[in-house]
Amino acid sequence: MAPVTSVPETISLGCRLNAYEAERMAKLAADAGERDAVIVNTCAVTNEAVRQSRQAIRKAARGGRRVIATGCAVQTDPDGFAAMPEVARTLGNAEKLDPSSWARPHAPEDVFARTALPRAPSPAAVAIRAHLEVQNGCDHRCTFCIIPYGRGQARSKRIEEVVAEARDLAALGAKEVVLTGVDLTSWGPDLGEERLGHLVEALLAALPGDVAIRLSSIDGAEVDDRLFALLTQEERVAPYAHLSLQSGADMILKRMKRRHSRADAVRLSERLRAARPNIALGADLIAGFPTETEEMAAETRALVRDCGLSYVHVFPFSPRTGTPAARMPQVARAVVKARAAALRAAAEAALQAHLDAKLNRPQTLLVEQTAAGRATGKTPDFTDIVCEGAAAPGTRLSVLPQRRDGRRLLAVRA
């Protein structure tokens, strides 16, 4: 693939899937003559995310720059974003990775009309940890979530297309391939009998031995025996699982329409840590969901300890117009903020304990960047490390963490 010398700026809000798409849209836009545009890939997960998306568009348009808006917020409110004076053009989620859509003005299509998930075009550049979309859309209807209406039904990319794209990423220098999707662990049923574990096995067989595989957020209800074995026994699968937990209170989980209980979450976490002691666990948790009591909030805070979580994304509940949760009895905003702060404090304490446990113990660092005589990157379990001494991106170093520096470790070569 010939290098692209000039690509437009991309601004991506929200999830890893948006980041994956932004990398590829940059090249598509450049090929279509949009090299001077700014592409804003919006998010619609909450009303606050939509507000931030609009704010990003206004900021991007300063100085008269041409703005192309796409993403979930645009998909769920195409007319509203098209009416913004700063927006020169909109593209929906169904067509933003379709080269033909970039060649002409194109209003967002019905995202539910597309049933296939074809191989995406190659990006203009590849990161050492490269994202790879293998799944899109969602067939579940959690009561707080608008994303199915922005992404459509669950669709899986065929194994041969995933393998071909992963090989391209490896050939361009990626040393870790991060599998992403809206509902990653639902990969497969629309294609046949195979499930996510089969896809991971195919990638392990196809990729060079120095390329690792990482899973993005997974739903514990969909972790079968094959996937569990890969997460706990396969050295090239990163020892990290980010679980979509959302709450530690059973009543709230039911009102969210989740498919697991608190006991299910704790049991899976215990099994993962018992089978692979060096695995790190993360989770998404929501504070202040409608009808949540202080006792329920305490159960969610305790889940950080009970599941042995190291990385927690805390979301203060924000009602999303059009979802059932927006019509439920709401918790006062001040209470939501206070509970989110308390949950973040519990999460921060867990992270600091995770970092402390690594001090003066050799770690393997995958170098992502090097600057000013320092190499930065992550360990297999997703720990951020800065190491004294330059090293080429993609290098794996044995390092010795010596002290904490905020949410990362400072290390020297072991």
Side-chain angles (χ1 to χ4, degrees):
M1 183 183 69
V4 176
T5 57
S6 176
V7 295
E9 178 186 355
T10 58
I11 299 169
S12 191
L13 295 91
C15 64
R16 291 184 181 92
L17 189 54
N18 261 11
Y20 164 90
E21 293 165 339
E23 293 169 352
R24 283 142 185 85
M25 282 191 290
K27 184 175 185 300
L28 289 175
D31 290 346
E34 295 279 13
R35 295 174 186 266
D36 297 325
V38 181
I39 303 168
V40 180
N41 205 13
T42 63
C43 179
V45 68
T46 63
N47 286 344
E48 174 62 17
V50 175
R51 185 194 69 78
Q52 291 176 0
S53 295
R54 291 181 179 276
Q55 184 181 56
I57 288 170
R58 295 187 184 101
K59 184 176 180 180
R62 290 173 186 170
R65 294 193 298 174
R66 175 177 168 83
V67 175
I68 300 171
T70 184
C72 289
V74 171
Q75 184 67 47
T76 54
D77 183 17
D79 294 338
F81 279 86
M84 292 183 67
E86 298 88 356
V87 173
R89 181 181 178 188
T90 61
L91 272 173
N93 278 337
E95 59 271 17
K96 64 185 177 183
L97 295 186
D98 182 348
S100 66
S101 297
W102 286 89
R104 65 187 188 279
H106 205 295
E109 297 176 357
D110 177 5
V111 76
F112 286 94
R114 296 206 178 191
T115 57
L117 190 61
R119 180 183 173 188
S122 296
V126 167
I128 298 301
R129 284 192 309 114
H131 294 94
L132 174 54
E133 176 201 44
V134 304
Q135 186 276 340
N136 207 323
C138 185
D139 292 337
H140 310 302
R141 293 296 181 267
C142 296
T143 59
F144 55 83
C145 187
I146 197 71
I147 297 307
Y149 301 97
R151 291 287 182 174
Q153 72 268 37
R155 308 180 302 287
S156 306
K157 192 175 293 183
R158 295 188 179 279
I159 283 184
E160 59 269 23
E161 291 166 344
V162 174
V163 166
E165 193 172 343
R167 282 175 168 160
D168 284 350
L169 295 176
L172 290 168
K175 294 299 181 184
E176 187 173 285
V177 175
V178 185
L179 306 188
T180 67
V182 175
D183 183 20
L184 177 62
T185 32
S186 73
W187 182 92
D190 54 317
L191 301 179
E193 297 298 319
E194 293 176 313
R195 297 297 181 265
L196 183 59
H198 295 94
L199 176 63
V200 173
E201 289 173 344
L203 287 168
L204 290 169
L207 292 173
D210 64 342
V211 177
I213 293 173
R214 183 180 298 277
L215 304 183
S216 59
S217 183
I218 61 177
D219 187 340
E222 296 172 323
V223 176
D224 60 15
D225 290 344
R226 184 182 298 269
L227 186 59
F228 182 89
L230 287 163
L231 269 169
T232 56
Q233 298 172 23
E234 174 53 57
E235 189 68 24
R236 288 170 59 202
V237 174
Y240 178 68
H242 193 88
L243 306 173
S244 179
L245 298 183
Q246 311 305 346
S247 177
D250 282 332
M251 182 57 71
I252 294 300
L253 289 169
K254 289 180 180 178
R255 289 169 180 164
M256 288 178 167
K257 207 175 177 182
R258 299 296 296 170
R259 294 175 298 154
H260 69 273
S261 67
R262 187 185 205 281
D264 292 334
V266 174
R267 188 179 305 112
L268 175 60
S269 300
E270 290 175 344
R271 288 181 62 219
L272 287 167
R273 288 187 284 112
R276 194 172 189 178
N278 67 329
I279 199 169
L281 303 178
D284 298 326
L285 293 174
I286 296 174
F289 187 83
T291 76
E292 182 188 73
T293 64
E294 182 52 47
E295 181 181 5
M296 294 172 182
E299 286 184 282
T300 298
R301 291 194 296 273
L303 194 68
V304 176
R305 176 199 65 221
D306 295 345
C307 286
L309 304 177
S310 298
Y311 306 95
V312 181
H313 294 166
V314 175
F315 298 89
F317 177 78
S318 173
R320 184 62 176 92
T321 304
T323 62
R327 300 189 296 272
M328 296 178 183
Q330 302 294 304
V331 176
R333 294 312 301 168
V335 175
V336 172
K337 290 181 180 180
R339 289 179 184 170
L343 184 54
R344 287 194 186 101
E348 186 64 24
L351 175 60
Q352 297 303 321
H354 169 83
L355 296 176
D356 283 343
K358 296 189 173 300
L359 291 175
N360 299 309
R361 295 185 178 183
Q363 307 293 322
T364 300
L365 170 67
L366 175 59
V367 178
E368 297 178 51
Q369 297 180 28
T370 183
R374 286 179 150 194
T376 62
K378 294 182 184 296
T379 64
D381 72 355
F382 215 58
T383 304
D384 279 313
I385 290 186
V386 178
C387 180
E388 295 296 335
T395 304
R396 286 186 169 89
L397 300 177
S398 179
V399 302
L400 188 68
Q402 295 186 318
R403 64 186 179 89
R404 280 195 280 116
D405 178 26
R407 310 189 85 214
R408 62 184 185 176
L409 294 172
L410 299 183
V412 296
R413 296 197 187 194

